[in-house]
Amino acid sequence: MHELGVLNSMVHTIERIVKEQNVTAVHKLVIEVGELSGIVPRYLEQSWPAASYKTFMEETKLELIVIPGIVKCKDCGRVFNAVYSDLNCPDCGSNDMEILEGNDLMIKEIVCN
Amino acid sequence: MEDFKILEIKTSVFADNSIQAGKLREELKDKKVLLLNLMSSPGAGKTTTLTRTINALKDRLTIGVMEADIDSDVDARTILKTGAKTIQLHTGGMCHLDAEMTRQGLEGLDTDGLDLVILENVGNLVCPAEFDTGAVKNVMILSVPEGDDKPLKYPLMFSICDVILINKMDVMPYFDFDMEKCKANIRLRNPNAIVIPISAQKNEGIKEWTDWLENAVNSWCE
């Protein structure tokens, strides 16, 4: 289960951040999920109760924002959404591309007190 | 009404693991130990390749091996026969190792006197690529039966590897595998990757690979 391991790692990252910021409780996490990150948002949501179980975030809500997978064709320069184009440039058909956006899994905000 | 505050973080979910991995690499640099993370699909030939690698280098380098699997110790038993110091790590159901698990493994193995530690990661082309283990070099094995299109399907794995070993070259006549197409697919994801065709079973191509590895160890330990 890929997403569960990813969330376990995220719990450790947030643990460090909240210690530094003197946070008492985390109410909500806002996570940006890139379409090209290889992470399935639905599986993140399903795994969250297991990943947060018996941690300081057991009551914390997870809000996901999907970031489109935007790439630039290295052959003709066209900028397009890689997912909807099935990883091929809609203009020239090339599959040599540079990722501009949507490759990451980022913690955007921690809502806390 | 409670007062909430919003921390604008913009940090990677993997940030903590990356910090741990960076620390581990620094410690390995001080100890002059090269940690190699060996990855592949299940059945691509990691254990056989590892056996050949150890046999080729064991007169010149002191080698330790960490076998990571979800369960069982069959691989560790195979590697022990080479005489290399070996431990078995169980990930407890997890499909990859992270930096903290790798650290625990290294402590269990005890790296004193070792030049090279090879981590045989869990057989999987997805998760191990996401988590920096703290390894100095990342190497993967793609075997001929898996097909030449794998670099397109698992781009992250191919983009993080220093060397890609194409294994099972001896069965090439029976499969529809185009080596030039495979190399071109790898270059799309990672122009700097070194591609070395081998047959671990027939012990072919191993010298080019072990020469690269020996050089990597020597320059890391300088």
Side-chain angles (χ1 to χ4, degrees):
Chain A
M1 182 51 147
H2 183 204
E3 279 72 9
L4 182 57
V6 167
L7 286 174
N8 282 337
S9 183
M10 184 179 80
V11 170
H12 289 305
T13 300
I14 293 173
E15 210 164 13
R16 179 177 50 80
I17 294 168
V18 299
K19 260 185 204 159
E20 289 165 3
Q21 306 272 353
N22 287 325
V23 166
T24 50
V26 179
H27 297 281
K28 189 169 80 172
L29 296 174
V30 183
I31 308 297
E32 290 181 344
V33 189
E35 278 183 330
L36 302 174
S37 68
I39 305 291
V40 182
R42 189 162 56 89
Y43 292 163
L44 277 185
E45 282 166 357
Q46 285 175 358
S47 310
W48 180 238
S52 58
Y53 180 64
K54 289 197 173 171
T55 72
F56 64 101
M57 290 196 289
E58 217 166 7
E59 304 294 322
T60 305
K61 288 190 178 65
L62 198 63
E63 181 183 322
L64 303 179
I65 299 172
V66 175
I67 305 293
I70 305 296
V71 299
K72 184 179 179 182
C73 175
K74 281 191 187 172
D75 288 324
C76 75
R78 165 87 185 249
V79 173
F80 58 100
N81 183 309
V83 178
Y84 295 115
S85 317
D86 207 17
L87 299 176
N88 292 310
C89 176
D91 280 354
C92 73
S94 166
N95 55 9
D96 193 2
M97 59 194 87
E98 174 195 355
I99 298 174
L100 300 180
E101 199 181 43
N103 201 26
D104 298 315
L105 185 62
M106 303 286 285
I107 304 162
K108 182 173 184 280
E109 292 171 9
I110 300 176
V111 181
C112 54
N113 57 8
Chain B
M1 175 86 190
E2 275 187 278
D3 270 344
F4 290 146
K5 59 178 176 181
I6 296 175
L7 303 178
E8 295 265 359
I9 299 294
K10 277 282 182 185
T11 299
S12 167
V13 161
F14 303 105
D16 198 61
N17 187 62
S18 302
I19 293 169
Q20 301 297 336
K23 276 188 201 159
L24 191 54
R25 249 188 306 278
E26 279 174 25
E27 290 167 26
L28 290 166
K29 181 78 189 167
D30 290 341
K31 287 184 183 168
K32 301 191 172 193
V33 177
L34 185 136
L35 175 63
L36 177 92
N37 178 20
L38 182 63
M39 297 169 285
S40 81
S41 309
K46 285 192 297 301
T47 310
T48 309
T49 304
L50 199 46
T51 304
R52 298 295 189 193
T53 305
I54 294 165
N55 286 334
L57 292 173
K58 67 181 174 187
D59 293 340
R60 299 189 295 283
L61 298 175
T62 314
I63 303 171
V65 175
M66 300 193 289
E67 285 290 338
D69 283 296
I70 288 173
D71 205 349
S72 103
D73 62 355
V74 287
D75 287 351
R77 286 172 188 277
T78 308
I79 297 299
L80 264 178
K81 289 182 194 151
T82 64
K85 195 174 178 184
T86 306
I87 60 165
Q88 177 75 52
L89 309 177
H90 283 161
T91 59
M94 283 296 185
C95 46
H96 63 274
L97 281 189
D98 63 18
E100 183 52 36
M101 289 189 257
T102 306
R103 174 186 295 282
Q104 288 171 15
L106 288 169
E107 283 167 8
L109 182 70
D110 185 7
T111 55
D112 277 0
L114 297 179
D115 304 307
L116 168 66
V117 175
I118 302 174
L119 165 63
E120 186 180 328
N121 213 317
V122 181
N124 180 337
L125 293 185
V126 183
C127 320
E130 305 257 19
F131 287 85
D132 187 343
T133 55
V136 180
K137 297 286 181 191
N138 289 308
V139 174
M140 74 162 293
I141 302 172
L142 172 68
S143 65
V144 166
E146 292 170 68
D148 51 38
D149 57 355
K150 287 298 167 290
L152 301 176
K153 291 184 176 173
Y154 302 93
L156 184 62
M157 174 58 77
F158 285 84
S159 68
I160 63 155
C161 284
D162 300 285
V163 174
I164 293 154
L165 300 172
I166 312 282
N167 190 25
K168 307 190 186 181
M169 288 297 288
D170 49 309
V171 298
M172 186 75 101
Y174 308 102
F175 288 91
D176 186 17
F177 186 99
D178 183 333
M179 182 58 96
E180 285 317 306
K181 205 192 234 171
C182 184
K183 284 183 177 172
N185 287 341
I186 292 170
R187 273 196 297 274
L188 284 178
R189 303 296 161 237
N190 184 350
N192 302 319
I194 298 165
V195 179
I196 305 175
I198 64 168
S199 164
Q201 192 67 43
K202 306 275 178 204
N203 207 9
E204 286 164 5
I206 300 297
K207 190 173 182 311
E208 186 185 351
W209 150 239
T210 53
D211 282 352
W212 177 88
L213 182 54
E214 196 175 357
N215 279 334
V217 172
N218 290 336
S219 34
W220 179 252
C221 297
E222 261 171 14

